[in-house]
Amino acid sequence: MLDLYGVEITSRLLLGTARYPSPKVLGEAVRASRTDIVTVSLRRESAGGKAGGSFLELISALNVRILPNTAGCHSAKEAVTTAQMAREIFGTDWIKLEVIGHHDTLQPDVFELVNAARILSDEGFEVFPYTTDDLVVAERLVEAGCKVLMPWCAPIGSAMGPVNLAALRAMRAHFPDTPLIVDAGLGRPSHAAAVMELGYDAVLLNTAVANAGDPIAMAGAFADAVEAGRAGFSAGLLEPRDMAVPSTPVIGKAVFS
Amino acid sequence: MRALVRGAGVAGLTVAFELRRHGHAVEIVDRTARAGAGASGLAGGMLAPFCEGESAPEAVTRLGRAAAEWWEAALPGQVNRDGTLVVAPPRDTGELTRFAARTAGHEWLDEEGIAALEPALAGRFRKALFFREEAHLDPRKALVALHAQLVKDGVHFRLGTSSGKDFDAMFDCTGPAAIGTVRGLRGVRGEMLYLQTSEIGLSRPVRLLHPRHPIYVVPRADHRFMVGATMIEANEGGAISARSLMELLNAAYALHPSFGEARVIETGAGVRPAFDDNLPRVVRIGDAIHVNGFYRHGFLLAPAMAQEAVSLLERVPA
């Protein structure tokens, strides 16, 4: 079981809710992914909005835990305000903190991120920071009060998969006890399996599922991959070797020459 | 049979047209005097069943294929059948491949092919997709023309509301006004703007693919271009947001820098009514037959849904 701020979570896949062909497809993808947690953008998807058949009500009806996010915020101040609004609307202290530094690449502004994480942690928020794979930034986030880290494995929406395995390994080794969730950059189920095999605690996906030809089938494929990767990690993976190693002893075998 | 139609947007007017075609007497009530004062007047007017198939269910492509013919028959001369051009910035050409894989009815164009179709875009894009069978119309002109034709045909338009008493059948085509009445109906905010410039000319709708902000530019008469449209999960009209305005302008500028010199002559935001599968429905609630949930497919799917709604009337005795 995965423990996120004292909450036991069964599924190690978190799903974003943006840009699905329709709310119906989103709902079915959520079910197929077997996820326990969906992340919802307050700023973009549901700005304002009157009651009555709204998107937020549809999300609430999915019966999964909601992790509101601050997507689209470009400064600590904006992110803090958005987080406070999210707390009121969703009634949760959880916040996926995104502070974007570059409008086009969506690279996090790690300086503002640390500032915002400190302010929000002091206000009692339980912060899930979207960050890079930089260890020093990660340390600062932990110092700021974050008990979960969400490093990218490639830029958001890029579908590149883990581009710097060494950095991801180093992060896992450096934070053995902090839940680490790979957020952003995963494109295919094999990418998810690969980071789970590194010992990451969970993955968060959006575009890879929402923009797939069949989002529902893709959600299921990712769920399987995440479970397989985790099971592989737990079972103890072999390290690669340079030479072949016969699995049956060769001593005593008849040799014909 | 005497039928009342509530709502004079694209849904209401097409239903009225189909009712008249079947010989019924029709009266239309709307809260405003102008046809298409709601979301219909902000539409792109693209009759693009294949392009929409990229993200929409198969039914949109199937039901939308007859739309261009329906509009041409109803309003001769109003439909432009020059197809749709789909391009992507050099950095995002992968999006073009993805779009092609999800759609039918297209052919690949190289630089020469693009220049032949849209000389203004010569040299700006290496590759494009051309959807030859697609069409477009000017929604405002179309709604005014349809309105005029219905009046000529004896349809009575009335301002206000009506209980539907004294009518044999009632069709509710009030779009987002029915949110809360029709179960599962929600609002999806859309924002658009009009640019005017004589520096560039286009002959057909051009879609610019982008991983996050896909837009389209639809040429209209008098050097005007409709640029749309955002899709925001909110039941909220009002003014366009600064961010959406920037995104739409940015994308138009990316399509061609001449749009940077254009005048912004209008901006707008409206609410698209949609069900959870983003497909329109004909549903009977009490005495009324509701035709609603057109999402971003009003002009594309209104004809098919109007026909379905009227056929329902014929099957079920009132």
Side-chain angles (χ1 to χ4, degrees):
Chain A
M1 283 274 225
L2 174 61
D3 183 307
L4 300 174
Y5 286 104
V7 179
E8 300 239 306
I9 303 295
T10 309
S11 165
R12 291 176 179 271
L13 190 161
L14 289 72
L15 202 60
T17 54
R19 292 189 290 125
Y20 287 78
S22 69
K24 185 170 185 227
V25 173
L26 164 63
E28 286 174 25
V30 166
R31 274 188 286 282
S33 74
R34 314 193 279 277
T35 189
D36 296 322
I37 302 171
V38 297
T39 172
V40 179
S41 157
L42 192 63
R43 224 182 155 79
R44 197 64 186 142
E45 287 307 319
S46 34
K50 298 166 203 153
S54 75
F55 186 65
L56 290 187
E57 284 171 27
L58 290 166
I59 298 272
S60 304
L62 295 173
N63 281 322
V64 287
R65 194 171 282 275
I66 290 174
L67 172 60
N69 69 54
T70 64
C73 291
H74 287 253
S75 68
K77 193 163 179 280
E78 268 182 284
V80 167
T81 310
T82 305
Q84 287 162 342
M85 279 165 59
R87 173 143 77 179
E88 276 191 29
I89 291 173
F90 296 104
T92 173
D93 289 331
W94 280 17
I95 188 75
K96 178 176 173 243
L97 183 61
E98 292 183 32
V99 187
I100 299 305
H102 195 277
H103 182 76
D104 203 35
T105 62
L106 301 182
Q107 178 140 350
D109 180 332
V110 294
F111 304 95
E112 290 289 296
L113 179 70
V114 172
N115 285 339
R118 191 173 296 124
I119 296 166
L120 291 172
S121 297
D122 287 348
E123 289 185 15
F125 280 94
E126 294 170 334
V127 180
F128 296 64
Y130 159 61
T131 180
T132 66
D133 52 24
D134 187 289
L135 291 186
V136 181
V137 171
E139 280 183 345
R140 294 280 188 276
L141 288 167
V142 171
E143 281 165 26
C146 298
K147 294 188 169 58
V148 174
L149 293 170
M150 303 183 87
W152 68 2
C153 74
I156 293 185
S158 69
M160 282 194 277
V163 289
N164 192 347
L165 280 171
L168 290 178
R169 277 204 189 91
M171 195 163 208
R172 181 71 281 180
H174 199 69
F175 297 98
D177 302 320
T178 306
L180 296 180
I181 302 171
V182 168
D183 177 8
L186 296 168
R188 2 185 114 193
S190 56
H191 296 157
V195 300
M196 292 306 292
E197 286 173 5
L198 295 179
Y200 274 73
D201 294 281
V203 302
L204 190 149
L205 302 161
N206 191 344
T207 312
V209 173
N211 282 7
D214 181 344
I216 300 157
M218 191 59 84
F222 268 104
D224 294 344
V226 167
E227 282 174 13
R230 178 66 190 180
F233 169 75
S234 305
L237 294 156
L238 294 189
E239 288 307 312
R241 301 172 59 109
D242 292 335
M243 302 287 286
V245 178
S247 52
T248 46
V250 286
I251 299 167
K253 224 176 195 181
V255 177
F256 303 96
S257 53
Chain B
M1 201 175 276
R2 274 169 50 77
L4 174 74
V5 177
R6 286 195 190 128
V10 65
L13 296 184
T14 45
V15 165
F17 194 89
E18 282 298 316
L19 284 167
R20 283 301 303 136
R21 198 205 292 280
H22 286 77
H24 303 296
V26 181
E27 181 168 320
I28 300 183
V29 287
D30 197 288
R31 291 185 305 191
T32 56
R34 188 163 60 87
S40 301
L42 301 175
M46 289 183 294
L47 305 173
F50 298 105
C51 282
E52 289 302 314
E54 185 244 340
S55 59
E58 174 274 331
V60 170
T61 307
R62 180 165 38 83
L63 296 172
R65 285 188 74 163
E69 253 164 61
W70 191 95
W71 285 106
E72 179 60 34
L75 306 171
Q78 293 242 359
V79 178
N80 177 318
R81 308 187 82 155
D82 284 329
T84 306
L85 192 65
V86 181
V87 297
R91 210 188 63 173
D92 298 322
T93 46
E95 291 293 309
L96 218 46
T97 316
R98 197 181 72 87
F99 198 90
R102 305 275 169 79
T103 53
H106 54 68
E107 54 204 90
W108 282 98
L109 296 182
D110 58 8
E111 276 186 79
E112 253 175 56
I114 298 170
L117 276 186
E118 295 290 356
L121 299 180
R124 295 200 51 75
F125 302 95
R126 292 261 161 77
K127 287 196 293 184
L129 290 168
F130 179 44
F131 292 78
R132 191 181 288 277
E133 302 294 313
E134 296 190 336
H136 72 281
L137 48 71
D138 181 332
R140 291 176 188 177
K141 267 174 69 181
L143 291 171
V144 167
L146 203 52
H147 178 272
Q149 207 159 311
L150 289 168
V151 169
K152 216 172 82 186
D153 197 28
V155 171
H156 184 57
F157 280 80
R158 208 152 45 74
L159 196 61
T161 55
S162 168
S163 65
K165 232 170 48 170
D166 312 326
F167 288 93
D168 305 311
M170 181 167 43
F171 292 85
D172 191 297
C173 308
T174 53
I179 291 174
T181 307
V182 178
R183 213 160 71 88
L185 196 66
R186 76 186 198 285
V188 180
R189 177 177 161 90
E191 298 151 294
M192 49 69 82
L193 55 92
Y194 268 91
L195 296 176
Q196 190 168 35
T197 175
S198 53
E199 278 187 32
I200 175 175
L202 295 174
S203 304
R204 54 183 62 72
V206 179
R207 292 178 182 231
L208 180 71
L209 302 184
H210 183 282
R212 292 191 301 280
H213 316 300
I215 65 137
Y216 52 81
V217 176
V218 190
R220 305 262 196 256
D222 306 323
H223 307 294
R224 289 175 304 129
F225 298 86
M226 187 272 200
V227 184
T230 57
M231 309 267 286
I232 298 169
E233 288 287 347
N235 178 20
E236 206 183 23
I240 191 170
S241 77
R243 177 174 164 162
S244 296
L245 186 61
M246 280 191 291
E247 281 168 4
L248 291 174
L249 288 174
N250 216 349
Y253 186 75
L255 183 63
H256 200 288
S258 286
F259 284 119
E261 299 303 315
R263 301 288 185 254
V264 182
I265 53 173
E266 182 189 332
T267 63
V271 175
R272 309 176 182 93
F275 291 103
D276 69 347
D277 55 1
N278 291 341
L279 285 174
R281 291 179 198 169
V282 175
V283 278
R284 193 183 270 277
I285 301 174
D287 295 337
I289 296 170
H290 284 257
V291 187
N292 212 323
F294 281 97
Y295 186 50
R296 50 183 273 166
H297 302 129
F299 283 82
L300 184 62
L301 300 184
M305 298 312 284
Q307 284 163 349
E308 187 187 325
V310 173
S311 75
L312 191 69
L313 183 68
E314 317 252 291
R315 278 203 307 269
V316 184

